[in-house]
Amino acid sequence: EVQLVESGGGLVQPGGSLRLSCAASGFIFSDQSMNWVRQAPGKGLEWVSYITSSSSIIFYADSVKGRFTISRDNAKNSLYLQMNSLRDEDTAVYYCAAVIAAAGTWGFDYWGQGTLVTVSS
Amino acid sequence: QSVLTQPPSASGTPGQRVTISCSGRSSNIGSNFVYWYEQLPGTAPKLLIYKNNQRPSGVPDRFSGSKSGTSASLAISGLRSEDETDYHCAAWDDSLSGWVFGGGTKLTVL
């Protein structure tokens, strides 16, 4: 069974930092590209970042470019999101989402349950 | 302000057919596949339609997707009470080099 479990969310002051983690199991993590997607309270989904299986290609949304860093450790089956210079508007539930190459959809096939990040003084 | 435009709400009665629209531009819907996700309250999204009109295994054939130019639609036929939830469209945007989503549509089954 595919499982994605996010952790690391919490309350942080504006300007602060947080590191989110996503532990993957039930599939060959090292073969799949991964994404972070967030959802502000009562709002729609917003894609944050993408990383290929080998970390060779990385993309960021303009809203987080220069402040957030996506990374992965294939040996630990884990995805990360380092968030610096946090702003009020970064408050959201952050989901990790997997694109499973074998599924052939090239969409977000599996999602974690999300971790809440609250930026507030 | 989402890059893709969806109506914030839609409604229908049981058994009815409803459609939800998703409008974009040439750099996203116009040149890439459209995806639809459903999201029950308090839960993570789930892939509903991929590559414009394909259904993952387990998704009933009551759900269908279509695309024309820079717009797409999700159709739900034989509406059921359990279809009352949020629906989001998405596409890759070549200009932004990233995924873009619609603002989501809340479907109410009257």
Side-chain angles (χ1 to χ4, degrees), chain A residues 43-66:
Chain A
K43 303 295 184 182
L45 300 170
E46 181 188 13
W47 170 79
V48 173
S49 185
Y50 163 90
I51 186 169
T52 53
S53 57
S54 63
S55 304
S56 60
I57 297 174
I58 288 173
F59 293 119
Y60 296 100
D62 287 345
S63 57
V64 307
K65 203 171 293 183

Side-chain angles (χ1 to χ4, degrees), chain B:
Chain B
Q1 190 81 356
S2 301
V3 175
L4 304 182
T5 300
Q6 295 179 239
S9 63
S11 63
T13 56
Q16 202 174 24
R17 181 178 187 271
V18 297
T19 61
I20 297 172
S21 62
C22 177
S23 177
R25 56 185 68 170
S26 59
S27 59
N28 42 64
I29 293 179
S31 51
N32 294 294
F33 291 124
V34 176
Y35 295 76
W36 290 91
Y37 299 88
E38 68 170 2
Q39 184 179 27
L40 296 169
T43 70
K46 169 193 163 187
L47 183 62
L48 189 66
I49 296 288
Y50 67 96
K51 292 183 180 178
N52 301 335
N53 55 19
Q54 303 298 303
R55 288 184 307 276
S57 60
V59 173
D61 58 7
R62 300 187 298 107
F63 294 88
S64 62
S66 63
K67 183 183 110 169
S68 178
T70 58
S71 293
S73 292
L74 172 70
I76 309 171
S77 60
L79 201 61
R80 297 182 175 184
S81 57
E82 58 260 38
D83 298 331
E84 183 167 291
T85 189
D86 295 331
Y87 296 89
H88 307 269
C89 61
W92 180 263
D93 192 298
D94 292 333
S95 296
L96 298 175
S97 293
W99 287 93
V100 291
F101 283 91
T105 298
K106 181 175 183 59
L107 176 63
T108 300
V109 180
L110 302 170

Side-chain angles (χ1 to χ4, degrees), chain A residues 10-55:
Chain A
L11 175 63
V12 62
Q13 292 189 337
S17 299
L18 272 181
R19 189 195 196 206
L20 306 184
S21 299
C22 172
S25 61
F27 64 102
I28 304 174
F29 179 77
S30 59
D31 285 352
Q32 324 304 335
S33 58
M34 297 293 295
N35 295 264
W36 287 100
V37 178
R38 68 185 180 183
Q39 186 171 33
K43 303 295 184 182
L45 300 170
E46 181 188 13
W47 170 79
V48 173
S49 185
Y50 163 90
I51 186 169
T52 53
S53 57
S54 63
S55 304

Side-chain angles (χ1 to χ4, degrees), chain A residues 46-90:
Chain A
E46 181 188 13
W47 170 79
V48 173
S49 185
Y50 163 90
I51 186 169
T52 53
S53 57
S54 63
S55 304
S56 60
I57 297 174
I58 288 173
F59 293 119
Y60 296 100
D62 287 345
S63 57
V64 307
K65 203 171 293 183
R67 300 187 299 122
F68 290 11
T69 302
I70 191 172
S71 63
R72 63 190 296 163
D73 185 335
N74 288 339
K76 294 183 177 180
N77 288 343
S78 293
L79 176 73
Y80 306 102
L81 187 68
Q82 178 66 43
M83 305 186 296
N84 298 330
S85 304
L86 283 162
R87 306 167 180 167
D88 291 350
E89 55 264 34
D90 295 319

